[in-house]
Amino acid sequence: MSASRKGSSLTEAMLLATVARRFYVQGRSKLEIADEFGVSRFKVARMLDTAMESGLVRVEFSLPAPVDLALSDEVRSAYGLERALVLERSTEREPKEVVRAKIGALAARLLEEIAVPSDVIGLSWARSVNAMTEAIRSLPRCPIVQLCGVQAGMDMRGRSVETVSRVTSVSGGDAYPIFGPLVLPDRRTTETLRRQPGIAETFGQFRNLTKAVVSIGSWQPGESTVYDALDETERAAIAARGATAEVAARLFDASGNALSTGLAHHVLAISHEELMAVPEVIALGYSRPKAAAVDAVLRSGMVSTLITDAAAAVPLLALVAKNPVMPR
């Protein structure tokens, strides 16, 4: 709180500032202030309003992270989320790699604060989730479960198996990796690999998940690792079915409905149903090109916490204003 020289007179300004100081700084009640100054508590309330409206008193927030409080609250309220963390607007012109690192740092800080020893935490592979694991410094001793297979073509440090390994090295809990590709050539190969003991053990943990950190991909080039892993024919066929968003190799249409395509039969990944059953899902989705995909996934009802940036949040609010979210 700070005071300025505004007011009809110095005497009045001093009185308003003194009353405001009693209330905002010293924590005195309106009734206590009223007794001290010989006025009614309703008069004290009007004086506090006047001090605020005139600019004599200003309330400022100093958050421990670069978060836009107003945008965060608007997004949380519009989509009925438990939490929304929106990076402050100053990041809008920063390179995508810098924004990704900040998104990851926010996710790491949140997970460090809310994780408890009884949790079973799932991680999907994504560059932003990978950035989160680089920023995590402490976690309780809980199991870490890989939600989907390894994306081909990534360097070893960026692969999902290594992502899980890094987090368990911090938490000291058990690791449940998937030593297998994300996208497989056919259903038979997928089913064979799912029966392999190590992979079957990880898949068995999906029903025990209490928290999951996932990334929202948009069904377009460069905005989804799954999209980029498929050939052009399958990408186009899936797009024709109405695919808008992808989370852990599972697809959603623009209304947030689970989308059934042939992709489900040749990926090693958690199912739609298992994702929807996780009590707390933290979703990372940022940048303007992903706004429609983020909107779609939020409409599914799967997400409890969204971590995003202003570049995505502003168009998100425009989308939800045109088509408000209906309770599921």
Side-chain angles (χ1 to χ4, degrees), residues 148-206:
C148 50
V150 176
Q151 171 63 20
M154 302 303 300
D155 63 58
M156 289 302 293
R157 186 161 180 79
R159 291 183 176 180
S160 47
V161 173
E162 283 66 39
T163 296
V164 168
S165 177
R166 280 199 298 276
V167 179
T168 52
S169 71
V170 173
S171 72
D174 293 330
Y176 292 89
I178 297 176
F179 290 101
L182 173 61
V183 180
L184 294 156
D186 52 52
R187 185 171 190 162
R188 183 177 179 178
T189 304
T190 304
E191 291 175 351
T192 299
L193 280 178
R194 284 181 181 176
R195 290 194 293 269
Q196 295 297 311
I199 294 175
E201 184 180 25
T202 296
F203 271 62
Q205 287 294 322
F206 292 161

Side-chain angles (χ1 to χ4, degrees), residues 1-237:
M1 184 193 75
S2 59
S4 73
R5 296 184 180 181
K6 294 183 180 180
S8 58
S9 69
L10 177 60
T11 302
E12 181 183 359
M14 289 294 293
L15 176 60
L16 292 175
T18 302
V19 168
R21 184 171 184 275
R22 293 284 191 278
F23 184 75
Y24 292 110
V25 178
Q26 297 177 346
R28 305 275 292 278
S29 71
K30 293 174 184 176
L31 186 58
E32 290 173 323
I33 298 169
D35 288 343
E36 178 182 351
F37 289 91
V39 296
S40 71
R41 60 187 178 91
F42 302 105
K43 173 68 171 176
V44 171
R46 289 195 295 273
M47 293 170 76
L48 291 171
D49 288 342
T50 300
M52 190 74 71
E53 292 166 2
S54 67
L56 178 69
V57 169
R58 297 189 302 275
V59 176
E60 298 176 351
F61 299 95
S62 181
L63 296 173
V67 172
D68 186 310
L69 182 62
L71 275 178
S72 298
D73 189 47
E74 287 183 68
V75 171
R76 182 202 59 76
S77 178
Y79 287 95
L81 301 172
E82 183 177 344
R83 307 180 196 87
L85 302 177
V86 180
L87 281 178
E88 59 191 15
R89 292 174 185 266
S90 63
T91 64
E92 287 186 280
R93 295 184 179 181
E94 292 181 335
K96 194 169 185 178
E97 294 76 13
V98 174
V99 176
R100 181 186 302 135
K102 291 184 177 181
I103 291 285
L106 272 182
R109 182 163 189 162
L110 176 64
L111 192 60
E112 288 172 346
E113 290 180 3
I114 66 175
V116 295
S118 58
D119 276 329
V120 178
I121 300 174
L123 300 178
S124 73
W125 188 89
R127 295 177 183 89
S128 54
V129 177
N130 192 49
M132 179 197 75
T133 66
E134 296 278 6
I136 285 178
R137 297 293 177 265
S138 65
L139 276 181
R141 189 181 182 87
C142 52
I144 308 297
V145 182
Q146 187 175 329
L147 300 183
C148 50
V150 176
Q151 171 63 20
M154 302 303 300
D155 63 58
M156 289 302 293
R157 186 161 180 79
R159 291 183 176 180
S160 47
V161 173
E162 283 66 39
T163 296
V164 168
S165 177
R166 280 199 298 276
V167 179
T168 52
S169 71
V170 173
S171 72
D174 293 330
Y176 292 89
I178 297 176
F179 290 101
L182 173 61
V183 180
L184 294 156
D186 52 52
R187 185 171 190 162
R188 183 177 179 178
T189 304
T190 304
E191 291 175 351
T192 299
L193 280 178
R194 284 181 181 176
R195 290 194 293 269
Q196 295 297 311
I199 294 175
E201 184 180 25
T202 296
F203 271 62
Q205 287 294 322
F206 292 161
R207 62 179 176 270
N208 301 324
L209 294 170
T210 58
K211 291 182 174 67
V213 183
V214 301
S215 174
I216 299 173
S218 177
W219 202 248
Q220 54 184 310
E223 301 295 341
S224 163
T225 53
V226 178
Y227 180 99
D228 293 340
L230 302 179
D231 61 45
E232 186 56 43
T233 301
E234 189 165 12
R235 293 173 188 168

